[in-house]
Amino acid sequence: MTGTTTRVREHYSAASLTGRIKSALAAVTPEDQPLTVAQLAPLDQFHIRGILATAELVSAAEVEPSTRVLDLGCGIGGPARYLAATFGCKVTGVDLSPGFIDTATYLTARCGLSGRVVFQVGDALHLPFADAAFDTVFLQHVAMNVEDRAALYGEIRRILTPRGRFATYDLVLHEGDVVYPVPWARDASTSFLLSERETRTALEKAGFNAVLWRDDTQTALDWFKAAMAGSPASAPNPGLNLGVVMGPDFAAMTANLARNLSENRLGVLSAVLTRD
Ligand SMILES: C[S@@+](CC[C@H](N)C(=O)[O-])C[C@H]1O[C@@H](n2cnc3c(N)ncnc32)[C@H](O)[C@@H]1O
C-alpha cells in the first residue's frame, strides 16, 4: 500500500464506529429488531444526494437478479444493501477502512441481507478477485481519493466480464482551488480530482465506452439548497446522519463541498460505461 493510500485509510479510520452506530440506532429501534434500507439511508449513503443518487445510478446500470455486483469503496454499505434489497442480486463490497467494513457487516445483518451482501477490506488498486469475476462495478465518490487513476480504471476493467458495466458517480475539478476540508480529504494531500475531460480520457484509455455521461452539478446544487433550507431537527431521526460516521467536523466539510460546487470549483459527474 502506498503512503498516500495509508493516509486515505486514516481519514476514514472511524474509531469504534460500530459501537457509536449501535448507540445512535438505539434511539430508532431496539437492537433485536430488524432495520430497513430506507431507515438507514440518512446514515449510510456517503455521497451527494444520498439514496436518490444511488437509485438513479443503479437504474441506469440495468442491474438484474443474476448480476454479480462489486461496490468498490463501499463505505458502510448503504448502496450495496440498496442494490441487494431492490434487485435481489448478490453484492460484494470492498473498502480500505476496516472500521467501515465492520460496521457494514453489522448493519447488513440487522437488515437481514447477509445472505446476499458480503464485505471485505481491500485496496481498489489490488483487488483480491479473479479476472472477469463481476458483471457490474459501482464506484461512488471514491475516485477522488485515488492517486493513480489509470491503475484504478485498469483494475476495474480486469475484474469485469467483457461488456460488463461500470457505473461511476464522482466529483470533478472545474476552476480554481478547492476549499478544504471536504468530506473525502482534510487537505489536498489525499485529494486527486481530475477534470471531466481528463476523467473521460482516462476511462477511454482503460478500455471503457460511455453509454451514459451526465453532468449532475446543477442537480447537486439544487439538492444542497433544499437540504440547507430544511431544519435538521425536523428529520425523522435527527441523530442518524453522516456526522456519526465522520465526526463533529463533518458539517463544516459538507458546507465546504457545497461552497466548492456553488463557486464552480467542483462539479459532479455520473457515468455508465461498458468494458470493451
Ligand atoms: C466518500 S466515501 C463513499 C462510500 C460509498 N461509496 C458510498 O457512496 O456510500 C469514500 C470511500 O472510498 C473508500 N476508498 C478510498 N480509497 C480507496 C481505495 N484505494 N480502495 C478501496 N476503498 C477506498 C474509503 O475508505 C471510503 O469508504
Side-chain angles (χ1 to χ4, degrees):
M1 194 178 287
T2 65
T4 309
T5 311
T6 304
R7 284 203 302 282
V8 170
R9 190 172 58 175
E10 279 163 15
H11 177 69
Y12 297 107
S13 64
S16 322
L17 179 59
T18 304
R20 284 186 283 121
I21 284 201
K22 279 183 188 175
S23 304
L25 287 172
V28 178
T29 186
E31 201 174 339
D32 59 355
Q33 295 299 308
L35 288 162
T36 65
V37 166
Q39 274 175 313
L40 291 176
L43 176 81
D44 69 5
Q45 302 275 337
F46 194 171
H47 50 260
I48 298 167
R49 295 182 61 236
I51 198 165
L52 292 175
T54 298
E56 272 176 20
L57 192 67
V58 302
S59 137
E62 298 176 4
V63 175
E64 294 175 3
S66 61
T67 310
R68 294 166 301 166
V69 179
L70 174 67
D71 186 16
L72 192 48
C74 61
I76 63 170
R81 285 185 290 277
Y82 176 88
L83 273 154
T86 308
F87 299 101
C89 56
K90 291 208 162 143
V91 186
T92 301
V94 167
D95 200 279
L96 263 189
S97 164
F100 279 13
I101 290 298
D102 185 64
T103 301
T105 305
Y106 169 74
L107 293 175
T108 300
R110 289 282 309 265
C111 290
L113 288 167
S114 303
R116 270 182 274 153
V117 190
V118 293
F119 297 97
Q120 67 188 82
V121 177
D123 178 0
L125 299 185
H126 305 281
L127 291 170
F129 305 116
D131 295 359
F134 294 94
D135 305 302
T136 298
V137 173
F138 282 89
L139 186 81
Q140 295 194 93
H141 283 42
V142 178
M144 66 272 192
N145 274 136
V146 180
E147 188 170 20
D148 190 342
R149 200 66 75 88
L152 171 67
Y153 295 149
E155 187 65 345
I156 291 169
R157 183 183 185 281
R158 180 185 72 74
I159 53 102
L160 270 174
T161 45
R163 288 172 300 285
R165 295 212 156 199
F166 173 31
T168 179
Y169 174 57
D170 267 302
L171 276 306
V172 289
L173 208 50
H174 276 184
E175 292 164 12
D177 293 334
V178 173
V179 178
Y180 292 95
V182 284
W184 65 93
R186 288 182 192 280
D187 57 47
S189 70
T190 50
S191 183
F192 307 101
L193 294 146
L194 298 183
S195 69
E196 183 179 333
R197 181 186 295 228
E198 288 166 338
T199 303
R200 186 147 188 158
T201 302
L203 283 163
E204 287 174 355
K205 269 195 187 161
F208 289 104
N209 300 303
V211 290
L212 169 82
W213 191 267
R214 192 176 63 215
D215 181 344
D216 276 338
T217 310
Q218 190 55 50
T219 315
L221 279 166
D222 293 345
W223 180 81
F224 271 117
K225 213 187 224 172
M228 282 168 184
S231 137
S234 67
N237 299 297
L240 275 199
N241 56 60
L242 276 156
V244 179
V245 180
M246 292 302 287
D249 51 353
F250 188 71
M253 295 175 175
T254 306
N256 280 343
L257 172 54
R259 176 179 166 191
N260 283 309
L261 290 169
S262 69
E263 293 177 356
N264 197 33
R265 298 166 193 267
L266 292 178
V268 180
L269 172 72
S270 291
V272 178
L273 307 107
T274 50
R275 175 206 188 283
D276 59 16

